[in-house]
Amino acid sequence: MIKFTERAPYAPVEYLYDVEEILYKGKSAFQDIMVIRNPYYGKMLILDDVVQITERDEFFYHEMLTHVVMHAHPNPKKVIVIGGGDGGVVREVLKHKTIEKVYFVEIDEEVINISKRFFPSVCSGVDDPRVEIKIMDGADFIAKRKAADIDAVIIDSTDIIGFARSLFTPEFFTSVRNCLTDPGLFVTHTESLHFHKDMVIEIQEALKNVFPLVDLYTTAIATYPGNWWAFAVASKGESPREIRNKGKIKAKYYSHEVHQQSFMPRSLYERLMKRELEW
Ligand code: SAM
């Protein structure tokens, strides 16, 4: 059987996947795009040789990236999703009945086209009339916004290299804060607590320079290097640990209990931020 090897960005490991079939292989203006089929994960979307989503387990990541902020906000109406060309986060955002508008800002239109073709159940929401697709760099989109009218900004980018770097700068975090409503929230993935602990801490610190309240929650993702995946969440003061939105949604993994248990215990968080955790 053919194999696909992922060389993990900034981690001294490689992951080897069995490939039943290569369904698509091409190149966009921004990156190499490949879709393969693995006997366990089903179809897998791979960008620049890095696994992005798999049919089998995409919901863990998409639900956890989306629903924590969507439930910490009492009444989310307007949301910006940056990256996420596969459409998974947009699908999850639209599960909330309060949603009136989603700006879906993806730099690479080809990722959306390939996802519509090969992952229709993930990409199912992108043509919803409430979704406005913007093909551009998410940092430019946020920097140009004038009003503070957004309830949640959700970053679903590739790893923090190349053109995704613009989404992790102090200037970007400041522009995000300026476009949020008062109980507004921001969330981004920050890689793994095993391989990328320093990066996780540095992003928390950078956000703390801009937002009054910053926190960290995690979930396990089978196909991301280090697996123990960390999300940074920031707000203008309201704790994201609390559930304010009582609207019901259908999810496979996320629940209010998972929400509350996914946050890092405060004593561990303090030790992490003091760089006392020795692993
Ligand atoms: N869940 C995936 C993961 O963490 O591996 C990410 C999936 S999604 C396909 C990532 C998307 O972010 C890609 O389609 C990429 O084109 C997009 N992206 C990266 N940097 C971006 C930027 N600065 N502005 C907008 N989109 C960006």
Side-chain angles (χ1 to χ4, degrees):
M1 190 177 274
I2 336 167
K3 307 280 180 194
F4 160 69
T5 307
E6 175 186 274
R7 170 85 217 171
Y10 20 76
V13 293
E14 287 182 345
Y15 292 88
L16 192 67
Y17 292 91
D18 288 352
V19 180
E20 282 179 342
E21 198 182 350
I22 298 174
L23 298 161
Y24 177 84
K25 206 169 183 218
K27 208 175 178 54
S28 72
F30 293 91
Q31 51 211 334
D32 294 333
I33 305 180
M34 188 158 69
V35 180
I36 62 170
R37 193 194 311 279
N38 170 271
Y40 178 80
Y41 289 113
K43 283 186 248 174
M44 301 173 65
L45 174 68
I46 295 160
L47 299 179
D48 280 345
D49 290 332
V50 176
V51 176
Q52 303 293 309
I53 62 161
T54 84
E55 253 181 343
R56 178 91 182 228
D57 80 336
E58 53 85 13
F59 64 90
F60 285 104
Y61 175 82
H62 290 135
E63 289 182 8
M64 289 305 287
L65 178 57
T66 307
H67 294 307
V68 171
V69 290
M70 296 296 284
H71 284 84
H73 191 288
N75 187 26
K77 289 182 183 156
K78 265 190 176 181
V79 172
I80 296 176
V81 176
I82 296 181
D86 49 72
V89 171
V90 170
R91 178 195 66 196
E92 295 303 318
V93 167
L94 292 173
K95 287 182 178 173
H96 291 263
K97 292 200 170 61
T98 51
I99 288 298
E100 294 169 1
K101 181 86 189 171
V102 182
Y103 294 101
F104 173 26
V105 192
E106 164 61 60
I107 204 167
D108 189 350
E109 190 169 19
E110 198 52 13
V111 178
I112 304 177
N113 296 336
I114 293 298
S115 301
K116 280 186 178 171
R117 187 166 149 203
F118 292 101
F119 299 89
S121 66
V122 182
C123 217
S124 55
V126 302
D127 292 323
D128 186 286
R130 290 167 293 175
V131 177
E132 185 173 334
I133 302 177
K134 299 274 185 189
I135 303 300
M136 62 189 292
D137 187 309
D140 290 344
F141 178 78
I142 293 274
K144 286 188 185 121
R145 283 198 70 80
K146 297 274 180 288
D149 61 347
I150 300 296
D151 298 312
V153 174
I154 303 176
I155 307 301
D156 181 16
S157 73
T158 35
D159 288 296
I160 311 167
I161 42 177
F163 48 83
R165 272 191 193 283
S166 64
L167 307 175
F168 293 87
T169 66
E171 296 74 28
F172 174 69
F173 295 152
T174 304
S175 314
V176 169
R177 186 200 58 207
N178 293 343
C179 79
L180 286 174
T181 54
D182 207 343
L185 292 113
F186 168 73
V187 65
T188 182
H189 79 80
T190 61
E191 312 272 342
S192 145
L193 268 167
H194 286 302
F195 291 135
H196 316 113
K197 182 155 52 71
D198 289 342
M199 199 182 291
V200 172
I201 296 169
E202 283 157 21
I203 294 171
Q204 290 282 318
E205 287 171 340
L207 283 168
K208 278 173 196 278
N209 288 331
V210 174
F211 286 90
L213 204 144
V214 183
D215 213 331
L216 188 157
Y217 67 94
T218 66
T219 201
I221 307 287
T223 49
Y224 294 169
N227 307 97
W228 189 18
W229 217 243
F231 299 87
V233 56
S235 80
K236 291 193 169 177
E238 309 283 349
S239 170
R241 296 184 182 221
E242 206 178 298
I243 291 159
R244 299 176 186 81
N245 178 354
K246 305 290 182 209
K248 293 223 179 328
I249 55 141
K250 217 169 148 209
K252 289 188 189 170
Y253 179 65
Y254 175 88
S255 66
H256 290 176
E257 199 179 7
V258 167
H259 180 129
Q260 275 154 344
Q261 293 192 349
S262 64
F263 281 85
M264 189 174 251
R266 295 206 195 270
S267 56
L268 197 61
Y269 179 77
E270 277 162 27
R271 288 174 57 216
L272 171 80
M273 295 308 292
K274 286 184 193 154
R275 292 177 161 77
E276 285 175 5
L277 295 180
E278 289 171 14
W279 73 63

